[in-house]
């Protein structure tokens, strides 16, 4: 089989690594890929949102299956286009991808099908949004409706902060038309987890849990990022809670989307807040998470290519996924200044030394090749990923390897997995 993988980050490097293990795969192309992915796949310089270019490439190279990493091509309707051309592709149609593209739509679907989420109202008029915030008081959460590169959510401690967030999104339009409408919702507290399911329109398989670390600094301080590290499984999600999330979130969403006329195929990613009253959905994504994928796939024993094909072909019924009974941790090594401005082109040393012990893998997120050397080419540069018998073992191996890698102004969090270790070891007799 020939596979076309779309995307360029650490998530796509992990996908390429996993796809390459399938006995059925003979060739992987990645558009556009990065320097790490280039070791496994043939990288082709087509951008992820160049749908025409991707269709032409998949056709002329007779690709048997296309796997989409990022949300943008999905929201642009790549699945509809590929399917229309008779090409097999793994992911949701444009209609189903609205669950990620529009927070207003996602909340309305959740309300309609009784999926537990924060209480909310939606607004297209800033005056009404302001009045609602004043009536409800703080803390309160203001979310721009559309895609805003992860920056469209403001968790506000005061009414003034919320009024400012409404002004930025709806009046000053800092997210463009993504801020034409907003969702204003109740602030929830608890621990977050990411629950992913792969669906075929009717049936689904649920993946083991993961937890992301979104803030840039230790102890969840500083601004939000694309994700500074992750681990899987997330001890906060007990087996019983995972079943509850499957029953109360995944099942009604898959049935609901089918009823809406937009059957969901591909990855349905639920960002969950585990509150004292049970799980509540914070958001849906319609793709694999980054960096969750980097810790979920190393634990997956089942052939992912078969699952993706079954999803695209409506044949997931009766499928299951087997997991390694191990913990997996990923630490993101980031450029100085990230998530703000940063300088690229810094020479990276120590990747081979870090891998030599045989206990970790290194997935590239933002790297390029300059002569024989790797250089930085993004905010998130590398994901160091370790497996262990326990979460503590995985954390130790991962951080030991991180210490061997260097580039100028590199920074990373030192507390990835700390909460999970606390939870697991507290529960020991
Ligand atoms: P989202 O993109 O909707 O997942 O929001 C980004 C982050 O904002 C989440 O990971 C949470 O940390 C936080 N957040 C979103 N919604 C809420 C909420 N209703 N209550 C508290 N925190 C929230
Ligand atoms: N890790 C968050 C996301 O993939 O959106």
């Amino acid at each position: 089989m020939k596979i076309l993988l779309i995307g360029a980050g650490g998530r796509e490097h992990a996908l390429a690594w996993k796809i390459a293990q399938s006995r059925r795969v003979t060739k992987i192309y990645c558009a556009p890929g990065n320097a790490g992915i280039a070791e496994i796949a043939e990288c082709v310089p087509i951008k992820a949102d160049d749908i025409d270019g991707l269709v032409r490439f998949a056709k002329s190279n007779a690709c048997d299956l296309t796997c989409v990493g990022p949300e943008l091509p999905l929201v642009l309707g790549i699945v509809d286009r590929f399917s229309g051309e008779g090409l097999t592709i793994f992911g949701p149609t444009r209609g189903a991808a609205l669950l990620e593209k529009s927070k207003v739509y996602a909340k309305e679907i959740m309300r309609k099908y009784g999926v537990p989420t924060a209480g909310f109202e939606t607004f297209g008029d800033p005056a009404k949004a302001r009045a609602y915030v004043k009536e409800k008081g703080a803390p309160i959460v203001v979310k721009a409706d559309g895609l805003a590169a992860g920056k469209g959510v403001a968790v506000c401690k005061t009414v003034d902060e919320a009024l400012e967030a409404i002004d930025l999104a709806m009046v000053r339009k800092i997210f463009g038309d993504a801020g034409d409408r907003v969702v204003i919702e109740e602030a929830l507290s608890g621990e977050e987890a990411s629950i992913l399911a792969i669906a075929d329109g009717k049936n689904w398989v649920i993946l083991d849990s993961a937890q992301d670390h979104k803030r840039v600094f230790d102890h969840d301080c500083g601004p939000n990022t694309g994700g500074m590290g992750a681990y899987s499984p997330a001890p906060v999600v007990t087996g019983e809670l995972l079943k509850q999330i499957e029953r109360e979130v995944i099942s009604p969403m898959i049935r609901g989307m089918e009823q809406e006329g937009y059957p969901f195929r591909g990855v349905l990613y639920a960002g969950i807040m585990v509150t004292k009253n049970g799980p509540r959905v914070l958001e849906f994504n319609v793709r694999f998470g980054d960096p969750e994928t980097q810790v979920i796939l190393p634990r997956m024993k089942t052939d992912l290519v078969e699952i993706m094909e079954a999803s695209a072909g409506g044949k997931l019924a009766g499928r299951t996924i087997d997991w390694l009974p191990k913990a997996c941790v990923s630490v993101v090594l980031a450029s100085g200044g990230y998530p703000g401005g940063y300088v690229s082109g810094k020479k990276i040393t120590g990747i081979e030394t870090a891998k030599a012990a045989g206990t970790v893998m290194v997935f590239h997120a933002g790297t390029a090749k300059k002569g024989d050397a790797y250089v930085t080419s993004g905010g998130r540069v590398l994901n160091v990923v370790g497996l262990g018998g326990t979460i503590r073992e995985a954390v130790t191996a991962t951080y030991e390897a991180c210490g061997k890698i260097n580039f100028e102004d590199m920074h990373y969090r030192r507390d990835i997995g700390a909460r999970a270790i606390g939870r697991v070891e507290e529960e020991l007799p």
Side-chain angles (χ1 to χ4, degrees):
M1 269 180 94
K2 290 204 246 175
I3 310 282
L4 172 59
L5 173 63
I6 298 172
R11 165 181 55 204
E12 287 76 18
H13 193 175
L15 282 164
W17 169 83
K18 180 69 183 160
I19 289 169
Q21 288 166 27
S22 172
R23 266 178 288 150
R24 302 177 49 211
V25 171
T26 50
K27 174 90 189 172
I28 308 171
Y29 297 103
C30 187
N34 64 35
I37 296 172
E39 289 168 8
I40 307 174
E42 181 179 335
C43 293
V44 291
I46 309 173
K47 291 214 178 85
D49 60 354
D50 176 4
I51 312 288
D52 289 334
L54 292 165
V55 166
R56 273 197 303 274
F57 183 87
K59 278 192 146 175
S60 56
N61 292 279
C63 293
D64 299 292
L65 175 69
T66 296
C67 168
V68 188
E71 62 275 14
L72 187 57
L74 297 168
V75 162
L76 292 173
I78 190 171
V79 170
D80 313 61
R81 273 293 303 283
F82 268 56
S83 307
E85 302 274 351
L87 293 160
T88 304
I89 183 163
F90 170 71
T93 57
R94 185 191 184 118
L98 211 51
L99 284 179
E100 177 162 358
K101 189 191 176 201
S102 168
K103 291 188 189 292
V104 170
Y105 177 75
K107 294 292 285 196
E108 282 167 357
I109 293 287
M110 284 189 266
R111 180 177 273 164
K112 184 165 174 187
Y113 294 98
V115 173
T117 186
F120 72 101
E121 287 303 329
T122 66
F123 299 92
D125 173 356
K128 290 194 177 136
R130 286 187 206 105
Y132 182 75
V133 159
K134 286 181 193 155
E135 177 202 324
K136 287 284 171 183
I140 196 157
V141 182
V142 179
K143 300 184 171 184
D145 175 49
L147 297 180
K151 299 195 176 104
V153 174
V155 180
C156 306
K157 289 197 194 71
T158 64
V159 166
D160 281 345
E161 269 179 52
L163 295 175
E164 171 74 3
I166 291 168
D167 193 56
L168 287 172
M170 302 186 84
V171 181
R172 284 189 267 162
K173 298 256 170 235
I174 60 166
F175 311 117
D177 57 14
D180 285 352
R181 293 187 294 170
V182 295
V183 172
I184 301 187
E185 69 180 30
E186 164 199 9
L188 300 171
S189 52
E191 196 171 330
E192 286 178 49
S194 306
I195 303 299
L196 283 64
I198 298 182
D200 71 357
K202 257 184 200 307
N203 312 286
W204 67 86
V205 283
I206 197 150
L207 308 188
D208 262 8
S209 60
Q211 191 168 129
D212 187 4
H213 296 61
K214 289 203 169 92
R215 303 296 194 100
V216 67
F217 300 127
D218 287 6
H219 314 299
D220 294 329
C221 293
N224 267 323
T225 69
M228 293 298 288
Y231 55 82
S232 172
V236 65
V237 183
T238 58
E240 204 170 305
L241 182 57
L242 189 63
K243 286 209 183 82
Q244 187 183 354
I245 294 169
E246 183 166 13
R247 202 170 53 237
E248 294 181 2
V249 177
I250 304 298
S251 168
M253 286 303 292
I254 301 300
R255 293 193 205 300
M257 291 306 283
E258 193 185 1
Q259 216 163 304
E260 293 294 304
Y262 298 109
F264 195 95
R265 291 188 201 91
V267 179
L268 181 64
Y269 163 137
I272 301 279
M273 183 79 89
V274 181
T275 74
K276 61 179 188 334
N277 299 319
R280 299 282 182 273
V281 175
L282 296 174
E283 64 161 345
F284 284 111
N285 294 318
V286 298
R287 48 164 176 82
F288 282 110
D290 187 346
E292 289 91 335
T293 304
Q294 292 89 310
V295 291
I296 289 176
L297 295 184
R299 299 188 50 243
M300 187 188 283
K301 291 202 277 187
T302 307
D303 184 339
L304 178 64
V305 173
E306 288 189 359
I307 296 291
M308 292 196 291
E309 253 197 318
S311 158
K315 298 201 171 100
L316 269 178
R319 294 266 183 170
T320 51
I321 293 187
D322 295 325
W323 301 96
L324 278 177
K326 289 190 171 196
C328 189
V329 173
S330 170
V331 173
V332 171
L333 307 183
S335 293
Y338 176 80
Y342 55 84
V343 178
S344 287
K346 308 281 189 193
K347 186 172 173 192
I348 306 168
T349 58
I351 295 179
E352 290 312 317
T353 324
K355 289 199 293 197
T359 53
V360 303
M361 296 182 285
V362 179
F363 292 132
H364 292 223
T367 66
K369 212 74 193 264
K370 199 170 172 187
D372 278 344
Y374 290 117
V375 295
T376 64
S377 73
R380 290 189 291 175
V381 177
L382 297 168
N383 298 262
V384 181
V385 177
L387 279 165
T390 61
I391 178 90
R392 183 181 282 283
E393 275 174 34
V395 164
T396 305
T398 304
Y399 276 110
E400 214 165 277
C402 289
K404 296 185 174 131
I405 299 177
N406 197 32
F407 53 86
E408 197 184 322
D409 298 330
M410 173 178 97
H411 69 97
Y412 57 92
R413 278 180 62 158
R414 314 280 161 161
D415 66 341
I416 305 296
R419 198 189 281 127
I421 292 178
R423 218 174 241 287
V424 170
E425 296 185 357
E426 254 167 43
E427 283 165 11
L428 292 177

